[in-house]
Amino acid sequence: RRQRRQAGNIRIGVPPEEQARLFERFFRAENAVLKAPDGNGLGLYLVKNLVELWKGKIWFESPADWGKEKKGTAFYFTIPL
């Protein structure tokens, strides 16, 4: 049995051209750096590694029309119970 949880929603969204790198160590999307200069790009990298250590899966959903509406990005994960 697996448990699914929404881990959070960042309001600024992730541009489509940067989504593939989102879980890389030290990566921060350009719009995130402009909006909030502080940060080191380790948060999502560490969370992904922890979830995978627990034999889980993590993913996100970000609107395809990010540039128009900037709805944000929702993060989800599952872990075995």
Side-chain angles (χ1 to χ4, degrees):
R1 187 173 151 208
R2 294 177 103 43
Q3 182 75 29
R4 177 183 168 171
R5 293 282 182 218
Q6 182 172 347
N9 185 319
I10 56 174
R11 295 182 193 134
I12 60 174
V14 180
E17 63 274 10
E18 297 187 289
Q19 291 180 4
R21 299 189 59 207
L22 200 56
F23 293 106
E24 289 180 14
R25 184 171 47 171
F26 301 120
F27 176 76
R28 295 190 68 216
E30 186 176 329
N31 63 322
V33 173
L34 293 173
K35 184 167 179 121
D38 294 339
N40 55 27
L42 286 175
L44 289 173
Y45 170 79
L46 292 173
V47 169
K48 181 178 187 279
N49 280 281
L50 186 58
V51 168
E52 289 177 349
L53 181 68
W54 292 336
K55 308 293 185 216
K57 179 182 173 188
I58 186 168
W59 71 98
F60 62 92
E61 296 173 356
S62 198
D65 60 350
W66 175 88
K68 295 177 185 173
E69 298 184 30
K70 298 184 183 179
K71 292 181 181 177
T73 301
F75 290 86
Y76 302 92
F77 67 94
T78 60
I79 53 173
L81 297 178

Coordinates of all heavy atoms in Angstrom, one line a residue:
R1 N 0.8 -1.2 0.0 CA 0.0 0.0 0.0 C 0.9 1.2 0.0 O 1.9 1.3 0.7 CB -0.9 0.0 1.2 CG -1.9 1.0 1.3 CD -2.9 0.8 2.4 NE -3.3 2.2 2.8 CZ -3.7 2.6 3.9 NH1 -3.7 1.8 4.9 NH2 -4.1 3.8 4.1
R2 N 0.5 2.2 -0.8 CA 1.2 3.5 -0.9 C 0.4 4.7 -0.4 O -0.8 4.7 -0.6 CB 1.7 3.7 -2.3 CG 2.7 2.7 -2.7 CD 3.1 2.9 -4.2 NE 4.4 3.4 -4.5 CZ 5.6 3.2 -4.0 NH1 5.7 2.5 -3.0 NH2 6.7 3.8 -4.5
Q3 N 1.0 5.6 0.2 CA 0.3 6.8 0.6 C 0.8 8.0 -0.3 O 2.0 8.2 -0.5 CB 0.8 7.1 2.1 CG 0.1 8.3 2.7 CD -1.4 8.1 3.1 OE1 -1.8 7.0 3.4 NE2 -2.1 9.1 3.0
R4 N -0.2 8.7 -0.8 CA 0.1 9.9 -1.6 C -0.2 11.2 -0.8 O -1.2 11.3 -0.2 CB -0.7 9.9 -2.9 CG -0.5 11.1 -3.7 CD -1.4 11.2 -4.9 NE -1.3 12.5 -5.5 CZ -1.9 12.8 -6.7 NH1 -2.5 11.9 -7.4 NH2 -1.8 14.0 -7.2
R5 N 0.8 12.1 -0.9 CA 0.7 13.4 -0.2 C 1.1 14.5 -1.1 O 2.0 14.3 -1.9 CB 1.6 13.4 1.0 CG 1.1 12.4 2.1 CD 0.0 13.0 2.9 NE -0.4 12.1 3.9 CZ -1.6 11.9 4.3 NH1 -2.6 12.5 3.7 NH2 -1.9 11.1 5.2
Q6 N 0.4 15.6 -1.0 CA 0.9 16.8 -1.6 C 1.9 17.5 -0.7 O 1.6 17.8 0.5 CB -0.2 17.8 -1.9 CG 0.3 19.0 -2.7 CD -0.8 19.9 -3.2 OE1 -2.0 19.5 -3.2 NE2 -0.5 21.1 -3.6
A7 N 3.1 17.8 -1.2 CA 4.2 18.3 -0.3 C 4.2 19.8 -0.3 O 4.8 20.3 0.6 CB 5.5 17.8 -0.9
G8 N 3.6 20.4 -1.2 CA 3.6 21.9 -1.2 C 3.3 22.5 -2.5 O 3.2 21.8 -3.5
N9 N 3.1 23.8 -2.5 CA 2.8 24.5 -3.8 C 3.6 25.8 -3.8 O 3.4 26.6 -2.9 CB 1.3 24.8 -3.9 CG 0.9 25.4 -5.2 OD1 1.6 26.3 -5.7 ND2 -0.2 25.0 -5.7
I10 N 4.5 25.9 -4.7 CA 5.2 27.1 -4.8 C 4.5 28.0 -5.8 O 4.1 27.6 -6.9 CB 6.7 26.9 -5.3 CG1 6.8 26.2 -6.6 CG2 7.5 26.2 -4.2 CD1 8.3 26.1 -7.1
R11 N 4.3 29.2 -5.5 CA 3.4 30.1 -6.2 C 4.0 30.7 -7.5 O 3.3 31.1 -8.3 CB 3.0 31.3 -5.3 CG 2.2 30.9 -4.1 CD 1.8 32.1 -3.3 NE 1.3 31.6 -2.1 CZ 1.6 32.1 -0.9 NH1 2.4 33.1 -0.8 NH2 1.1 31.6 0.2
I12 N 5.3 30.6 -7.6 CA 5.9 31.2 -8.8 C 5.9 30.3 -10.0 O 6.2 30.8 -11.1 CB 7.3 31.8 -8.5 CG1 8.2 30.6 -8.1 CG2 7.2 32.9 -7.5 CD1 9.7 31.1 -7.9
G13 N 5.7 29.1 -9.9 CA 5.7 28.2 -11.0 C 7.1 27.9 -11.5 O 8.1 28.5 -11.0
V14 N 7.2 26.9 -12.4 CA 8.5 26.5 -12.9 C 8.4 26.6 -14.4 O 7.6 25.9 -15.0 CB 8.9 25.1 -12.5 CG1 10.3 24.7 -13.1 CG2 8.9 24.9 -11.0
P15 N 9.3 27.4 -15.1 CA 9.2 27.5 -16.5 C 9.5 26.2 -17.2 O 10.3 25.4 -16.7 CB 10.3 28.5 -16.9 CG 10.6 29.3 -15.6 CD 10.2 28.3 -14.5
P16 N 8.7 25.8 -18.2 CA 8.9 24.5 -18.9 C 10.3 24.2 -19.2 O 10.7 23.0 -19.1 CB 8.0 24.6 -20.1 CG 7.0 25.7 -19.8 CD 7.7 26.6 -18.9
E17 N 11.1 25.1 -19.7 CA 12.4 24.8 -20.1 C 13.4 24.5 -18.9 O 14.5 24.0 -19.2 CB 13.0 26.0 -20.9 CG 13.2 27.3 -20.2 CD 11.9 28.1 -20.2 OE1 10.8 27.7 -20.6 OE2 12.0 29.3 -19.7
E18 N 12.9 24.7 -17.7 CA 13.8 24.4 -16.6 C 13.3 23.2 -15.7 O 13.9 22.8 -14.8 CB 13.9 25.6 -15.7 CG 14.6 26.8 -16.4 CD 14.9 28.0 -15.5 OE1 13.9 28.7 -15.2 OE2 16.1 28.2 -15.2
Q19 N 12.1 22.7 -16.1 CA 11.5 21.6 -15.3 C 12.3 20.3 -15.2 O 12.4 19.7 -14.2 CB 10.1 21.3 -15.8 CG 9.1 22.4 -15.5 CD 7.8 22.2 -16.1 OE1 7.4 21.1 -16.6 NE2 6.9 23.2 -15.9
A20 N 13.0 20.0 -16.2 CA 13.8 18.7 -16.2 C 15.0 18.8 -15.2 O 15.4 17.7 -14.8 CB 14.4 18.5 -17.6
R21 N 15.4 20.0 -14.8 CA 16.5 20.1 -13.9 C 16.1 20.3 -12.5 O 16.9 20.5 -11.6 CB 17.4 21.2 -14.4 CG 18.0 21.0 -15.7 CD 19.0 22.0 -16.1 NE 20.1 22.0 -15.1 CZ 20.9 23.0 -14.8 NH1 20.8 24.2 -15.4 NH2 21.9 22.9 -13.9
L22 N 14.8 20.4 -12.2 CA 14.3 20.8 -10.9 C 14.9 20.1 -9.7 O 15.1 20.6 -8.6 CB 12.8 20.7 -10.9 CG 12.1 21.6 -9.9 CD1 12.5 23.0 -10.0 CD2 10.6 21.4 -10.1
F23 N 15.2 18.8 -9.8 CA 15.6 18.0 -8.7 C 17.2 17.8 -8.7 O 17.7 17.1 -7.9 CB 15.0 16.6 -8.7 CG 13.5 16.6 -8.4 CD1 12.6 16.4 -9.4 CD2 13.0 16.9 -7.1 CE1 11.2 16.5 -9.2 CE2 11.7 16.9 -6.9 CZ 10.8 16.7 -7.9
E24 N 17.9 18.6 -9.5 CA 19.3 18.5 -9.5 C 19.9 19.3 -8.3 O 19.3 20.3 -7.9 CB 19.9 19.2 -10.8 CG 19.7 18.4 -12.0 CD 20.2 19.1 -13.3 OE1 21.0 20.0 -13.1 OE2 19.9 18.6 -14.4
R25 N 21.0 18.8 -7.8 CA 21.7 19.5 -6.7 C 22.2 20.9 -7.1 O 22.8 21.0 -8.2 CB 22.9 18.6 -6.3 CG 23.6 19.2 -5.1 CD 24.6 18.2 -4.5 NE 25.4 17.7 -5.6 CZ 26.5 17.0 -5.3 NH1 26.9 16.7 -4.1 NH2 27.3 16.5 -6.3
F26 N 21.9 21.8 -6.3 CA 22.3 23.2 -6.5 C 21.5 24.0 -7.6 O 21.9 25.1 -7.9 CB 23.8 23.4 -6.7 CG 24.6 22.9 -5.5 CD1 25.5 21.9 -5.7 CD2 24.4 23.4 -4.3 CE1 26.3 21.4 -4.7 CE2 25.2 22.9 -3.2 CZ 26.1 21.9 -3.4
F27 N 20.5 23.3 -8.2 CA 19.8 24.0 -9.3 C 18.7 24.9 -8.7 O 17.9 24.4 -7.8 CB 19.2 23.0 -10.3 CG 18.3 23.7 -11.3 CD1 18.9 24.3 -12.3 CD2 16.9 23.7 -11.2 CE1 18.2 25.0 -13.3 CE2 16.2 24.4 -12.1 CZ 16.8 25.0 -13.2
R28 N 18.6 26.1 -9.2 CA 17.4 27.0 -8.9 C 17.0 27.6 -10.2 O 17.8 28.1 -11.0 CB 17.8 28.1 -7.9 CG 18.2 27.5 -6.6 CD 18.4 28.6 -5.6 NE 17.1 29.2 -5.3 CZ 17.0 30.5 -5.0 NH1 18.0 31.3 -5.0 NH2 15.8 31.0 -4.7
A29 N 15.7 27.5 -10.5 CA 15.1 28.1 -11.7 C 15.4 29.6 -11.7 O 15.4 30.2 -10.6 CB 13.6 27.8 -11.8
E30 N 15.6 30.1 -12.8 CA 15.9 31.6 -13.0 C 14.9 32.5 -12.3 O 15.2 33.4 -11.6 CB 16.1 31.9 -14.4 CG 16.6 33.3 -14.6 CD 16.9 33.7 -16.1 OE1 17.2 32.7 -16.9 OE2 16.7 34.8 -16.5
N31 N 13.6 32.2 -12.5 CA 12.6 33.0 -11.9 C 12.6 32.9 -10.4 O 12.3 33.9 -9.7 CB 11.2 32.7 -12.4 CG 10.8 31.3 -12.1 OD1 11.6 30.3 -12.1 ND2 9.5 31.1 -11.9
A32 N 13.0 31.8 -9.8 CA 13.1 31.7 -8.4 C 14.2 32.5 -7.8 O 14.1 33.1 -6.8 CB 13.3 30.2 -8.0
V33 N 15.4 32.5 -8.5 CA 16.5 33.3 -8.1 C 16.1 34.8 -8.1 O 16.5 35.6 -7.2 CB 17.7 33.1 -9.0 CG1 18.9 34.0 -8.7 CG2 18.2 31.6 -8.9
L34 N 15.4 35.2 -9.1 CA 15.0 36.6 -9.2 C 14.0 37.0 -8.1 O 14.1 38.1 -7.6 CB 14.4 36.9 -10.6 CG 15.3 36.8 -11.8 CD1 14.6 37.0 -13.1 CD2 16.4 37.9 -11.7
K35 N 13.1 36.1 -7.8 CA 12.1 36.4 -6.8 C 12.6 36.3 -5.4 O 12.2 37.1 -4.5 CB 10.8 35.5 -7.0 CG 9.7 35.9 -6.0 CD 8.4 35.2 -6.4 CE 7.4 35.6 -5.4 NZ 6.3 36.3 -6.0
A36 N 13.4 35.3 -5.1 CA 14.0 35.1 -3.8 C 15.4 34.7 -3.9 O 15.8 33.5 -4.1 CB 13.2 34.0 -3.1
P37 N 16.3 35.7 -3.8 CA 17.7 35.4 -4.1 C 18.4 34.5 -3.1 O 19.3 33.8 -3.5 CB 18.4 36.8 -3.9 CG 17.3 37.8 -4.1 CD 16.0 37.1 -3.6
D38 N 17.9 34.4 -1.9 CA 18.5 33.4 -0.9 C 18.1 32.0 -1.3 O 17.1 31.8 -1.9 CB 18.0 33.7 0.5 CG 18.4 35.0 1.0 OD1 19.4 35.6 0.5 OD2 17.8 35.6 1.9
G39 N 18.9 31.1 -1.0 CA 18.7 29.7 -1.3 C 19.9 29.1 -1.9 O 20.7 29.8 -2.6
N40 N 20.0 27.8 -1.8 CA 21.2 27.1 -2.4 C 20.8 26.0 -3.3 O 21.7 25.4 -3.9 CB 22.1 26.6 -1.2 CG 21.4 25.6 -0.3 OD1 20.4 25.0 -0.7 ND2 21.8 25.6 0.9
G41 N 19.6 25.7 -3.6 CA 19.2 24.7 -4.5 C 19.4 23.3 -4.0 O 19.5 22.4 -4.8
L42 N 19.3 23.1 -2.7 CA 19.5 21.8 -2.2 C 18.2 21.1 -1.7 O 18.1 19.9 -1.6 CB 20.5 21.7 -1.0 CG 21.9 21.9 -1.4 CD1 22.8 22.0 -0.2 CD2 22.4 20.7 -2.3
G43 N 17.2 21.9 -1.4 CA 15.9 21.4 -0.8 C 15.3 20.3 -1.6 O 15.1 19.2 -1.0
L44 N 14.9 20.5 -2.8 CA 14.3 19.5 -3.6 C 15.2 18.3 -3.9 O 14.7 17.2 -3.9 CB 13.7 20.1 -4.9 CG 12.6 21.0 -4.8 CD1 12.2 21.7 -6.1 CD2 11.3 20.3 -4.2
Y45 N 16.4 18.6 -4.0 CA 17.4 17.5 -4.2 C 17.4 16.6 -3.0 O 17.4 15.3 -3.2 CB 18.8 18.1 -4.5 CG 19.9 17.1 -4.4 CD1 20.2 16.3 -5.6 CD2 20.7 16.9 -3.3 CE1 21.2 15.3 -5.5 CE2 21.7 16.0 -3.3 CZ 22.0 15.2 -4.4 OH 23.0 14.3 -4.4
L46 N 17.5 17.1 -1.8 CA 17.5 16.3 -0.6 C 16.2 15.6 -0.4 O 16.1 14.4 0.0 CB 17.8 17.2 0.6 CG 19.2 17.8 0.6 CD1 19.4 18.8 1.8 CD2 20.2 16.7 0.7
V47 N 15.1 16.3 -0.6 CA 13.7 15.6 -0.5 C 13.6 14.4 -1.4 O 13.2 13.4 -1.0 CB 12.6 16.6 -0.7 CG1 11.3 16.0 -0.8 CG2 12.6 17.7 0.4
K48 N 14.0 14.6 -2.7 CA 13.9 13.5 -3.7 C 14.8 12.3 -3.2 O 14.3 11.2 -3.3 CB 14.4 14.0 -5.0 CG 14.3 12.9 -6.1 CD 14.8 13.5 -7.4 CE 14.5 12.5 -8.6 NZ 15.6 11.5 -8.7
N49 N 16.0 12.6 -2.7 CA 16.8 11.5 -2.3 C 16.2 10.8 -1.1 O 16.3 9.5 -1.0 CB 18.2 12.0 -2.0 CG 19.0 12.1 -3.3 OD1 19.5 11.2 -3.8 ND2 19.1 13.4 -3.8
L50 N 15.6 11.5 -0.2 CA 15.0 10.9 1.0 C 13.8 10.1 0.6 O 13.6 8.9 1.0 CB 14.6 12.0 2.0 CG 14.1 11.5 3.3 CD1 15.1 10.7 4.1 CD2 13.7 12.7 4.2
V51 N 12.9 10.6 -0.2 CA 11.7 9.9 -0.7 C 12.2 8.6 -1.4 O 11.6 7.5 -1.2 CB 10.9 10.8 -1.6 CG1 9.8 9.9 -2.3 CG2 10.2 11.9 -0.7
E52 N 13.2 8.7 -2.3 CA 13.7 7.5 -3.0 C 14.3 6.5 -2.0 O 14.2 5.3 -2.2 CB 14.6 7.9 -4.1 CG 13.8 8.6 -5.2 CD 14.7 9.1 -6.4 OE1 16.0 9.1 -6.2 OE2 14.2 9.4 -7.4
L53 N 15.0 7.0 -1.0 CA 15.6 6.1 0.0 C 14.5 5.2 0.7 O 14.7 4.1 1.0 CB 16.3 6.9 1.0 CG 17.0 6.1 2.2 CD1 18.2 5.3 1.6 CD2 17.5 7.1 3.2
W54 N 13.3 5.9 0.8 CA 12.1 5.2 1.4 C 11.4 4.4 0.4 O 10.2 3.9 0.7 CB 11.2 6.2 2.1 CG 11.8 6.8 3.3 CD1 12.7 6.4 4.1 CD2 11.4 8.1 3.8 NE1 13.0 7.3 5.2 CE2 12.1 8.4 5.0 CE3 10.5 9.1 3.4 CZ2 12.0 9.5 5.7 CZ3 10.3 10.2 4.2 CH2 11.1 10.4 5.3
K55 N 11.9 4.2 -0.8 CA 11.3 3.4 -1.9 C 10.0 4.1 -2.4 O 9.1 3.5 -2.9 CB 11.0 2.0 -1.5 CG 12.1 1.2 -0.9 CD 13.2 1.0 -1.9 CE 14.2 0.1 -1.3 NZ 15.5 0.4 -1.7
G56 N 10.0 5.4 -2.4 CA 8.9 6.2 -2.8 C 9.2 6.9 -4.1 O 10.2 6.7 -4.8
K57 N 8.3 7.7 -4.5 CA 8.4 8.5 -5.8 C 8.0 9.9 -5.5 O 7.1 10.2 -4.7 CB 7.4 7.9 -6.8 CG 7.4 8.6 -8.1 CD 6.4 7.9 -9.1 CE 6.3 8.7 -10.3 NZ 5.2 8.3 -11.2
I58 N 8.6 10.9 -6.2 CA 8.3 12.3 -6.1 C 8.1 12.9 -7.4 O 8.8 12.5 -8.4 CB 9.3 13.1 -5.2 CG1 8.8 14.5 -5.0 CG2 10.7 13.0 -5.8 CD1 9.6 15.3 -3.9
W59 N 7.1 13.7 -7.6 CA 6.9 14.4 -8.9 C 6.3 15.7 -8.7 O 5.9 16.1 -7.5 CB 6.1 13.5 -9.8 CG 4.7 13.3 -9.5 CD1 3.6 14.0 -10.0 CD2 4.1 12.4 -8.5 NE1 2.4 13.6 -9.4 CE2 2.7 12.6 -8.5 CE3 4.7 11.5 -7.7 CZ2 1.9 11.9 -7.7 CZ3 3.9 10.7 -6.9 CH2 2.5 10.9 -6.8
F60 N 6.1 16.5 -9.7 CA 5.4 17.8 -9.6 C 4.5 18.0 -10.8 O 4.7 17.3 -11.8 CB 6.5 18.9 -9.5 CG 7.4 19.1 -10.7 CD1 7.0 19.9 -11.7 CD2 8.5 18.3 -10.8 CE1 7.9 20.0 -12.8 CE2 9.4 18.5 -11.8 CZ 9.0 19.3 -12.9
E61 N 3.6 18.9 -10.6 CA 2.7 19.3 -11.7 C 2.8 20.8 -11.8 O 2.6 21.5 -10.8 CB 1.3 18.9 -11.5 CG 1.1 17.4 -11.4 CD -0.2 16.9 -11.0 OE1 -1.1 17.8 -10.6 OE2 -0.5 15.7 -10.9
S62 N 3.1 21.3 -13.0 CA 3.2 22.7 -13.3 C 2.5 23.0 -14.6 O 2.6 22.3 -15.5 CB 4.7 23.1 -13.4 OG 4.9 24.5 -13.2
P63 N 1.7 24.0 -14.6 CA 0.8 24.3 -15.8 C 1.7 24.5 -17.0 O 2.7 25.1 -17.0 CB 0.0 25.5 -15.4 CG 0.8 26.2 -14.3 CD 1.5 25.1 -13.6
A64 N 1.2 24.0 -18.1 CA 1.9 24.1 -19.4 C 2.0 25.6 -19.9 O 2.9 26.0 -20.5 CB 1.2 23.3 -20.5
D65 N 1.0 26.3 -19.5 CA 0.9 27.7 -19.9 C 1.5 28.6 -18.8 O 0.9 29.7 -18.5 CB -0.5 28.1 -20.2 CG -1.5 28.0 -19.1 OD1 -1.1 27.4 -18.1 OD2 -2.6 28.5 -19.2
W66 N 2.5 28.2 -18.1 CA 3.1 28.8 -17.0 C 3.3 30.3 -17.3 O 3.0 31.2 -16.4 CB 4.4 28.2 -16.6 CG 5.1 29.0 -15.5 CD1 5.0 28.8 -14.2 CD2 6.0 30.1 -15.7 NE1 5.7 29.7 -13.5 CE2 6.4 30.5 -14.4 CE3 6.6 30.7 -16.7 CZ2 7.2 31.5 -14.1 CZ3 7.5 31.8 -16.5 CH2 7.8 32.2 -15.2
G67 N 3.8 30.7 -18.4 CA 4.1 32.1 -18.7 C 2.9 33.0 -18.7 O 3.0 34.2 -18.4
K68 N 1.7 32.4 -18.9 CA 0.5 33.3 -19.0 C -0.1 33.5 -17.6 O -0.5 34.5 -17.2 CB -0.5 32.7 -20.0 CG 0.0 32.6 -21.4 CD -1.0 31.9 -22.3 CE -0.5 31.8 -23.7 NZ -1.4 31.0 -24.5
E69 N -0.3 32.4 -16.9 CA -1.1 32.4 -15.7 C -0.3 32.3 -14.4 O -0.7 32.7 -13.3 CB -2.1 31.3 -15.7 CG -3.1 31.5 -16.8 CD -4.2 30.5 -16.8 OE1 -4.6 30.1 -15.7 OE2 -4.7 30.1 -17.9
K70 N 0.9 31.7 -14.4 CA 1.8 31.6 -13.2 C 1.0 31.1 -12.0 O 1.0 31.6 -11.0 CB 2.4 32.9 -12.9 CG 3.3 33.4 -14.0 CD 4.0 34.7 -13.7 CE 4.9 35.2 -14.8 NZ 5.6 36.4 -14.6
K71 N 0.4 29.9 -12.2 CA -0.5 29.3 -11.2 C 0.4 28.7 -10.1 O -0.1 28.5 -9.0 CB -1.4 28.3 -11.8 CG -2.5 28.9 -12.6 CD -3.4 27.8 -13.2 CE -4.4 28.4 -14.1 NZ -5.3 27.4 -14.6
G72 N 1.6 28.3 -10.4 CA 2.4 27.7 -9.4 C 2.6 26.2 -9.7 O 2.2 25.7 -10.7
T73 N 3.4 25.6 -8.9 CA 3.8 24.2 -9.1 C 3.4 23.4 -7.8 O 3.8 23.8 -6.7 CB 5.3 24.1 -9.4 OG1 5.6 24.8 -10.5 CG2 5.7 22.6 -9.6
A74 N 2.7 22.3 -8.0 CA 2.4 21.4 -6.8 C 3.3 20.2 -6.8 O 3.6 19.6 -7.9 CB 1.0 20.9 -7.0
F75 N 3.8 19.9 -5.7 CA 4.7 18.7 -5.5 C 4.0 17.6 -4.8 O 3.2 17.9 -3.8 CB 6.0 19.1 -4.7 CG 6.9 20.0 -5.5 CD1 6.7 21.4 -5.5 CD2 7.9 19.5 -6.2 CE1 7.5 22.2 -6.2 CE2 8.8 20.3 -6.9 CZ 8.6 21.7 -6.9
Y76 N 4.2 16.4 -5.2 CA 3.6 15.2 -4.6 C 4.6 14.1 -4.4 O 5.7 14.1 -5.0 CB 2.5 14.6 -5.6 CG 1.5 15.6 -6.0 CD1 1.6 16.4 -7.1 CD2 0.3 15.7 -5.2 CE1 0.6 17.3 -7.5 CE2 -0.7 16.6 -5.6 CZ -0.5 17.4 -6.7 OH -1.5 18.3 -7.1
F77 N 4.3 13.3 -3.4 CA 5.2 12.1 -3.2 C 4.4 10.9 -2.7 O 3.3 11.1 -2.2 CB 6.3 12.4 -2.3 CG 5.9 12.6 -0.9 CD1 5.9 11.6 0.1 CD2 5.6 13.9 -0.4 CE1 5.6 11.8 1.4 CE2 5.2 14.1 0.9 CZ 5.2 13.1 1.8
T78 N 4.8 9.7 -3.0 CA 4.3 8.5 -2.4 C 5.4 7.8 -1.7 O 6.5 7.8 -2.1 CB 3.6 7.6 -3.5 OG1 4.7 7.2 -4.4 CG2 2.5 8.3 -4.2
I79 N 5.0 7.1 -0.6 CA 5.9 6.2 0.1 C 5.1 5.0 0.5 O 3.9 5.1 0.8 CB 6.6 6.9 1.3 CG1 5.5 7.5 2.3 CG2 7.6 8.0 0.9 CD1 6.1 8.0 3.6
P80 N 5.8 3.9 0.5 CA 5.1 2.6 1.0 C 4.8 2.8 2.5 O 5.5 3.3 3.2 CB 6.1 1.5 0.8 CG 7.2 2.1 -0.1 CD 7.1 3.6 0.1
L81 N 3.6 2.2 2.9 CA 3.3 2.2 4.3 C 3.6 0.9 4.9 O 3.7 -0.1 4.3 CB 1.8 2.5 4.4 CG 1.3 3.8 3.9 CD1 -0.2 4.0 4.1 CD2 2.0 4.9 4.7

